[in-house]
Amino acid sequence: MAPPRAPLELPTEHPEGYDEFIESLTTFATERGIQLDLQARVNGKHIDLFKLWKVVSIRGGYDAVSQEKLAWRKVGTEFNLGTTNAAAYAFALKTVYYKNLAAYEIKSLHKREPPPREILEDLTAKGGDLLHRTVENFRPPAAGRPSLSNGQDSDGSGAEESKTPKEDKMDVDEPGSGGARTSRGLRQAPPQRVLFQPDVSSSRQVRHSSSNLQSSPQPASATANLHPNSTNSHSMSLSFSSYEPRPQMPLTLRGVITPGNNPGLFKERQRIAREAKARVKPPVEIKGMMKPGAGFDGPNIYVKTLQGLRSPISAEQDYALHHLVKISHERGDKYKFDAFPNLAESLVEYVLGVSSLFYDVKWEVSYSEDATGDINVLDGVNGTPDILQRLKCLKRIDTQDELQSEESALRLTKIHEAGLTIRNLSLLEDNAAYLTSLPQLRDFLTIALNLPNSPLITELKHYALEIAEQVTRAWSMDVEDPLYRSLLNWVDQGVDRGGILTALRAISRISMNLDESNLLHGVPISVIGRICEWLLLEDEELIHACLDFLYQFTAVPNNVGILLANSNIIPIPSLLSQLTRLLQYNAQESFTKQLIAPTIPPTAASEIPAVPYDLLEQLLKFDEPDRSNHWLKAVFEEDAQSEITQIAIWQAYQTRFSEYTTQQTPLLPAAEFIKNVSAIFPGANAQVVNGPHNKFIIKGIRQRHAPMDLKGRIYTPCLWTLPGEKACGRFFLRPKQLFDHIATTHLGIPQNKDGSWNLTSTSLSAPPGQLLDCHWAGCRRFSRPPFYSKPTPFSIGMHVKTHLPDVSEKASLRRLHNRTPATQTVLTTTPHLSGGTQKFQNTPDSDVPEGRGAQYSYQIWHNTITDERGKAAGLPLTAVLVLRNLARNIPKASMALKEAAAERLEHGMEVDGEVQEGWTEKLFSPLKMRFAFVMAHNRVLAEHVADLMAWVDRGWGE
């Protein structure tokens, strides 16, 4: 069992460039298709590929190291592989480089293309000269081939295993020593090589199994002196002196019969050969006859399928239809009807046979102008306009959906294959254009869509609808067109979503490639009702098809008149509301912000703030240096850009605490106090500014605008400022304390014995010559128009509270209406998004000099889908176009209905119901606000909605 593998000796920190190198090497290995070994180990030690790359690159690369003697051993010393068995470790290290870095070196270091991996990584590390190795000039080393070289080349030069190993000096353990390993002795020196001496006495050589040396016919004295482990130079010289070359052996030759040495025998052999050849008769070739399969390859698969479809043989038809389905699916872009005459006609005639499965009829297509009027004859020149009447006259065959004969099932399969082929090929525009020229195709589509409801032909009906979707764009249809009536019937009575969806698309594409418009006359009102219901579904594909239909339907004023005339059946307000909802279908919310106020950097206070009495009492409870430390934190804060002179901060400290100094609590010496400043504020340090008069400062702190208590709470200053005077400047921790101070000191509101305020007092104290007013930072609220009024104690008290910080539970709600402190000129606003509208939540700053971040206004957008040009697209665009058609044509339709009613009355005819007026105002008035919202928040549809609102305003009074 192998010993457990030692844990990886990975460095805790990688050198610079390690991550980039490993990423590049990994990418190269992945592209080359080799397995990168980032955990390579030699002698149990992890080999760092980045370090190995650096060491070998400095020495010139793989080839340079391999050519240098013992170079790989020197590389191994960089990894502390050990000196025991250094040759094997060197070759193992070389193999690690060879497998992982050799090809990368050629690519990145030498800027060449490395050899293929078959002659590089897939082989061993023997050999060198990788830069010039190619498939043509490289021969892989033969396995097991011994090397005859004893040279001392580099340990990793490629001949490591094939060279004779050198004899390393090893410590010999004395027998019986305690540390000796008795089970493993020293390796003996290899036997001395002796030059081969041939046996001149006999041509047969004998191998003696009892000797390590091959026997040679040399003198006994010489043989006796040659010992396998002997290194005697005399014995070696004797071996060379007694060597004799082996005599050459004569070659065994066999004579060849030629006319020169034996003419008779040569002639006889020639005669026998001629007679034998004459007895073999060659095959007689008939000239002018073509062998099977030679000279003509036969028709290609396209011609074979065309001819097989025309063939009356059932097997040929099966072959043709099977391959036509495959070709139309895989190579439909190469298979065009105009290149294979009569292919489309044959396929249409074949699928017409589906009628014979349900009716007693076999359709025939006549291409003659004088076609007979038989019920089963279709006009292949002009089409069959009465095809629907003929279908009604056909006799139905009694069939069972559950049971089918083998013949009927096979025939229906062939018909499905023919229909699928037409469907696949019609997807190509050229083939669709060709099919539009076939009147019999139009008849087939009408027949297929009017076949009885049977699960056997549901698939064929879908093929017919998909074919109609491709070809109706080139056909013009009137109200009585059979195919048009059949498609409308599918929409009106269909229950299959796929069939309804395809039928709607086919109707919407009528005359798309023609100059005339698709008027969509004669649409049953029940179809419009179903479409209005489908708009309520969460089916984007079906809604899109319904909107396409409505867009073309509402583009005609007469069709809009049908909607107005049947307003008791069609819920037009609900339809308009649903169309308005679709204006924001899948809208994506986004924001844009605009700067309304720039960033205000913090500024230092003009003077060090006075410590309030309650805070001073807490500070006096501490001994030095804790007292000075808490005082520094209360009135100063860190600011890398600010500074204060050392004398100023020392004098402020002395002024504050000198009157409370005793022998037990003396002030700190100036040097120790300045030193403590840096201890309290790590970013502050004492400096000397050189100049005519050196200035001693402390860099990195600034005085606060309001002191901070021991719990980190900021005091609020009283900003009551009378004209021509400074602000009061007293600090209070709680808003109630500040309010009580203003009420008693500045307003003079009397206080009852129970501590409540006497709000019924009619006389308030005011400064001499001044009107009673709010003087919070120059507010003057009651003396400024249009708010001028004589304040009462209650009104001025409630007003003063708006200047104070709100710490109640409803503070967040009141901030929407509260006034900010007078020192703040602009509200700090943050966006509060709710319900898709723009709101702002005011968060006032209590101290502008402390700085304020930039303020932005946020605009919320609900943009809908766009195309590659950035224009409106999808359901929202189609919905706004339908609304625009209605807004534009409702006044025209209303006027037409009024004229028609007047005409009927003029002729003495009755009018169904009362002719209503003001349709535009009635239908669009509830939607104007929703239109305005879309126009304001949807930049994509803003232009279209503006056009819609213009049409609404234009038809408002009509």
Side-chain angles (χ1 to χ4, degrees):
M1 182 176 178
R5 191 170 183 178
L8 298 179
E9 301 174 2
L10 299 176
T12 56
E13 295 183 359
H14 296 303
E16 183 179 0
Y18 177 88
D19 295 335
E20 293 80 6
F21 172 81
I22 293 299
E23 181 179 359
S24 175
L25 180 61
T26 304
T27 302
F28 176 82
T30 302
E31 295 174 354
R32 187 169 174 82
I34 62 176
Q35 185 67 30
L36 187 64
D37 187 9
L38 296 176
Q39 309 297 337
R41 301 173 70 88
V42 175
N43 192 23
K45 299 183 181 295
H46 174 258
I47 302 301
D48 188 352
L49 295 184
F50 181 63
K51 180 179 179 181
L52 181 60
W53 164 263
K54 288 292 186 181
V55 173
V56 176
S57 299
I58 293 174
R59 293 176 176 267
Y62 179 91
D63 288 344
V65 176
S66 298
Q67 292 173 4
E68 183 183 350
K69 185 177 181 180
L70 302 179
W72 284 105
R73 291 195 186 186
K74 298 177 182 178
V75 174
T77 59
E78 300 288 340
F79 297 86
N80 194 21
L81 299 180
T83 57
T84 305
N85 204 6
Y89 298 156
F91 184 77
L93 183 63
K94 176 185 177 182
T95 301
V96 171
Y97 190 95
Y98 180 88
K99 295 289 186 180
N100 298 282
L101 299 172
Y104 180 75
E105 172 195 322
I106 298 173
K107 181 72 174 179
S108 60
L109 186 61
H110 302 290
K111 308 302 181 182
R112 298 186 183 180
E113 283 298 322
R117 54 177 294 185
E118 291 76 14
I119 63 173
L120 194 62
E121 289 90 345
D122 292 349
L123 301 178
T124 63
K126 296 180 180 180
D129 198 16
L130 300 184
L131 293 177
H132 301 89
R133 180 180 294 185
T134 62
V135 179
E136 293 78 11
N137 64 12
F138 176 73
R139 292 184 179 179
R145 182 176 61 188
S147 175
L148 299 177
S149 172
N150 255 349
Q152 303 297 327
D153 199 355
S154 175
D155 295 271
S157 62
E160 190 70 26
E161 296 179 357
S162 60
K163 295 177 183 179
T164 302
K166 297 182 294 184
E167 183 175 349
D168 295 330
K169 293 183 180 181
M170 302 179 63
D171 295 333
V172 180
D173 297 330
E174 295 295 336
S177 61
R181 293 176 295 177
T182 59
S183 62
R184 182 178 178 184
L186 295 178
R187 185 178 63 180
Q188 298 296 329
Q192 184 66 39
R193 293 187 179 182
V194 181
L195 295 177
F196 173 74
Q197 296 182 7
D199 186 3
V200 297
S201 61
S202 173
S203 61
R204 181 178 181 183
Q205 298 181 4
V206 180
R207 176 177 297 175
H208 300 278
S209 60
S210 60
S211 176
N212 289 334
L213 296 177
Q214 294 182 352
S215 301
S216 58
Q218 53 186 344
S221 59
T223 306
N225 291 331
L226 292 177
H227 189 272
N229 296 328
S230 175
T231 56
N232 193 341
S233 61
H234 175 69
S235 299
M236 291 295 295
S237 62
L238 183 59
S239 299
F240 283 104
S241 62
S242 61
Y243 170 73
E244 291 183 6
R246 181 178 180 179
Q248 296 183 356
M249 299 294 293
L251 298 178
T252 303
L253 302 178
R254 184 177 61 180
V256 179
I257 305 300
T258 63
N261 58 16
N262 196 342
L265 182 58
F266 180 79
K267 185 180 295 186
E268 181 64 19
R269 289 185 176 181
Q270 291 292 322
R271 183 186 64 78
I272 294 172
R274 286 194 301 269
E275 291 178 357
K277 186 177 181 181
R279 286 194 294 268
V280 180
K281 296 182 179 180
V284 180
E285 296 185 3
I286 303 176
K287 296 183 179 181
M289 180 178 179
M290 182 180 296
K291 297 180 179 180
F296 178 65
D297 297 333
N300 57 28
I301 186 64
Y302 303 108
V303 178
K304 288 181 181 179
T305 54
L306 177 59
Q307 299 301 328
L309 187 63
R310 297 174 179 174
S311 173
I313 302 175
S314 178
E316 293 291 337
Q317 294 177 0
D318 292 345
Y319 172 86
L321 291 172
H322 171 76
H323 286 83
L324 279 173
V325 171
K326 187 175 182 180
I327 292 172
S328 64
H329 177 67
E330 298 177 355
R331 300 298 303 275
D333 56 334
K334 302 295 183 182
Y335 206 48
K336 297 182 180 181
F337 286 132
D338 54 3
F340 300 93
N342 206 30
L343 173 61
E345 292 82 347
S346 300
L347 288 171
V348 173
E349 292 178 8
Y350 200 92
V351 294
L352 282 172
V354 70
S355 299
S356 60
L357 298 177
F358 301 93
Y359 299 104
D360 186 13
V361 65
K362 183 178 181 181
W363 298 109
E364 296 180 3
V365 180
S366 174
Y367 297 97
S368 175
E369 294 287 346
D370 302 329
T372 61
D374 295 340
I375 193 173
N376 66 323
V377 178
L378 302 178
D379 190 352
V381 178
N382 301 313
T384 310
D386 60 342
I387 187 65
L388 292 178
Q389 289 75 13
R390 295 190 184 190
L391 289 175
K392 294 179 180 179
C393 298
L394 294 178
K395 181 181 179 180
R396 176 73 185 273
I397 299 177
D398 187 13
T399 58
Q400 296 182 1
D401 293 340
E402 296 81 6
L403 298 177
Q404 272 188 296
S405 64
E406 182 180 359
E407 181 182 359
S408 298
L410 180 60
R411 186 177 179 187
L412 186 60
T413 301
K414 293 180 182 180
I415 293 174
H416 279 143
E417 290 178 345
L420 179 58
T421 302
I422 300 176
R423 178 261 180 195
N424 290 343
L425 294 177
S426 66
L427 298 179
L428 188 64
E429 187 175 354
D430 293 341
N431 288 335
Y434 184 88
L435 290 174
T436 56
S437 63
L438 301 180
Q440 61 268 37
L441 176 68
R442 199 163 181 167
D443 294 338
F444 159 70
L445 297 177
T446 304
I447 293 172
L449 296 180
N450 289 277
L451 288 174
N453 293 327
S454 173
L456 301 177
I457 56 173
T458 300
E459 184 178 355
L460 182 64
K461 289 185 177 182
H462 278 276
Y463 293 158
L465 288 171
E466 293 178 7
I467 296 170
E469 182 182 354
Q470 301 299 323
V471 298
T472 53
R473 66 184 67 186
W475 285 341
S476 176
M477 299 183 184
D478 55 16
V479 179
E480 301 300 330
D481 188 279
L483 181 57
Y484 178 66
R485 304 307 307 175
S486 300
L487 292 172
L488 286 176
N489 184 62
W490 257 86
V491 178
D492 189 15
Q493 302 179 7
V495 294
D496 185 356
R497 172 190 176 278
I500 295 173
L501 182 62
T502 311
L504 282 172
R505 289 173 176 171
I507 295 173
S508 301
R509 296 186 180 188
I510 295 175
S511 304
M512 182 181 292
N513 294 348
L514 303 178
D515 294 336
E516 55 184 292
S517 301
N518 182 16
L519 301 180
L520 292 182
H521 289 323
V523 178
I525 197 64
S526 57
V527 172
I528 304 301
R530 299 194 75 184
I531 289 177
C532 293
E533 294 174 356
W534 291 335
L535 289 177
L536 300 175
L537 301 176
E538 292 297 330
D539 189 337
E540 182 176 354
E541 197 173 10
L542 181 60
I543 293 176
H544 204 293
C546 293
L547 290 179
D548 286 342
F549 181 91
L550 286 177
Y551 172 70
Q552 297 192 39
F553 182 80
T554 57
V556 181
N558 291 338
N559 293 340
V560 178
I562 294 175
L563 292 178
L564 299 180
N566 295 274
S567 59
N568 58 335
I569 302 176
I570 304 298
I572 301 179
S574 176
L575 172 63
L576 296 181
S577 178
Q578 182 65 10
L579 291 173
T580 306
R581 183 186 71 86
L582 292 175
L583 295 179
Q584 290 297 103
Y585 184 82
N586 279 348
Q588 299 296 324
E589 190 175 75
S590 60
F591 309 96
T592 58
K593 65 179 183 179
Q594 183 179 4
L595 181 66
I596 60 175
T599 302
I600 298 178
T603 59
S606 58
E607 58 184 13
I608 299 176
V611 178
Y613 294 117
D614 56 341
L615 178 59
L616 181 61
E617 291 177 357
Q618 299 179 38
L619 295 178
L620 293 177
K621 295 178 181 180
F622 295 97
D623 296 331
E624 294 293 351
D626 292 338
R627 183 177 64 183
S628 61
N629 293 345
H630 288 298
W631 177 77
L632 288 172
K633 292 178 182 179
V635 298
F636 290 95
E637 60 183 344
E638 283 192 275
D639 184 2
Q641 306 301 324
S642 301
E643 62 184 38
I644 186 173
T645 60
Q646 297 180 14
I647 188 64
I649 191 172
W650 167 249
Q651 289 177 352
Y653 168 68
Q654 280 186 321
T655 303
R656 178 71 278 175
F657 296 105
S658 58
E659 60 181 305
Y660 305 104
T661 301
T662 63
Q663 293 182 355
Q664 290 76 17
T665 57
L667 296 177
L668 286 179
E672 186 176 352
F673 175 79
I674 298 300
K675 185 178 180 180
N676 280 351
V677 174
S678 299
I680 298 302
F681 303 104
N685 56 84
Q687 298 180 2
V688 178
V689 180
N690 296 325
H693 302 284
N694 292 341
K695 185 178 180 181
F696 297 87
I697 64 172
I698 297 179
K699 183 73 173 180
I701 62 172
R702 63 181 174 90
Q703 52 267 33
R704 294 179 180 272
H705 293 269
M708 179 180 68
D709 73 345
L710 301 181
K711 295 182 179 180
R713 295 173 295 184
I714 303 297
Y715 283 81
T716 303
C718 177
L719 301 179
W720 198 271
T721 308
L722 295 176
E725 299 182 7
K726 296 178 62 176
C728 172
R730 291 189 60 183
F731 295 98
F732 299 90
L733 188 60
R734 295 179 178 82
K736 184 179 183 306
Q737 297 173 348
L738 179 57
F739 178 78
D740 293 346
H741 163 73
I742 295 174
T744 57
T745 304
H746 300 297
L747 294 178
I749 299 177
Q751 198 170 11
N752 298 324
K753 294 181 179 180
D754 58 355
S756 61
W757 301 102
N758 185 6
L759 301 180
T760 60
S761 176
T762 56
S763 60
L764 299 179
S765 61
Q770 300 289 338
L771 295 175
L772 185 64
D773 200 354
C774 175
H775 293 276
W776 183 275
C779 172
R780 309 299 297 275
R781 193 256 187 209
F782 296 96
S783 60
R784 285 199 317 267
F787 307 107
Y788 177 77
S789 62
K790 185 176 181 181
T792 63
F794 177 79
S795 62
I796 195 170
M798 295 302 296
H799 168 74
V800 168
K801 286 185 177 181
T802 63
H803 294 293
L804 307 182
D806 192 354
V807 295
S808 64
E809 296 179 354
K810 298 182 179 181
S812 58
L813 297 177
R814 293 170 179 170
R815 285 172 184 164
L816 294 173
H817 310 286
N818 282 359
R819 294 173 59 86
T820 59
T823 52
Q824 181 178 340
T825 57
V826 182
L827 288 177
T828 301
T829 56
T830 56
H832 176 66
L833 308 178
S834 175
T837 58
Q838 181 179 10
K839 295 183 179 180
F840 292 93
Q841 181 177 357
N842 301 328
T843 55
D845 258 342
S846 61
D847 194 1
V848 168
E850 294 289 341
R852 182 182 62 229
Q855 302 168 20
Y856 300 91
S857 65
Y858 290 82
Q859 175 65 47
I860 309 172
W861 300 100
H862 300 274
N863 295 323
T864 50
I865 187 174
T866 60
D867 57 11
E868 62 276 3
R869 300 173 300 173
K871 302 295 183 179
L875 295 184
L877 175 62
T878 314
V880 73
L881 294 179
V882 174
L883 288 169
R884 189 190 64 180
N885 284 348
L886 291 172
R888 180 173 55 189
N889 292 325
I890 281 178
K892 300 178 183 178
S894 179
M895 183 65 65
L897 290 177
K898 188 185 300 184
E899 294 176 356
E903 185 177 355
R904 291 177 65 88
L905 291 175
E906 184 179 350
H907 291 81
M909 302 173 64
E910 294 183 0
V911 179
D912 297 335
E914 182 181 355
V915 179
Q916 300 185 24
E917 297 182 357
W919 280 102
T920 303
E921 182 178 358
K922 177 182 178 181
L923 296 176
F924 287 95
S925 177
L927 304 175
K928 293 195 69 175
M929 292 302 296
R930 296 170 66 181
F931 293 157
F933 175 86
V934 175
M935 187 169 60
H937 292 82
N938 191 339
R939 289 183 291 185
V940 177
L941 283 183
E943 181 179 354
H944 299 280
V945 176
D947 188 24
L948 166 62
M949 296 186 69
W951 280 106
V952 171
D953 295 339
R954 191 179 305 174
W956 200 270
E958 296 181 5

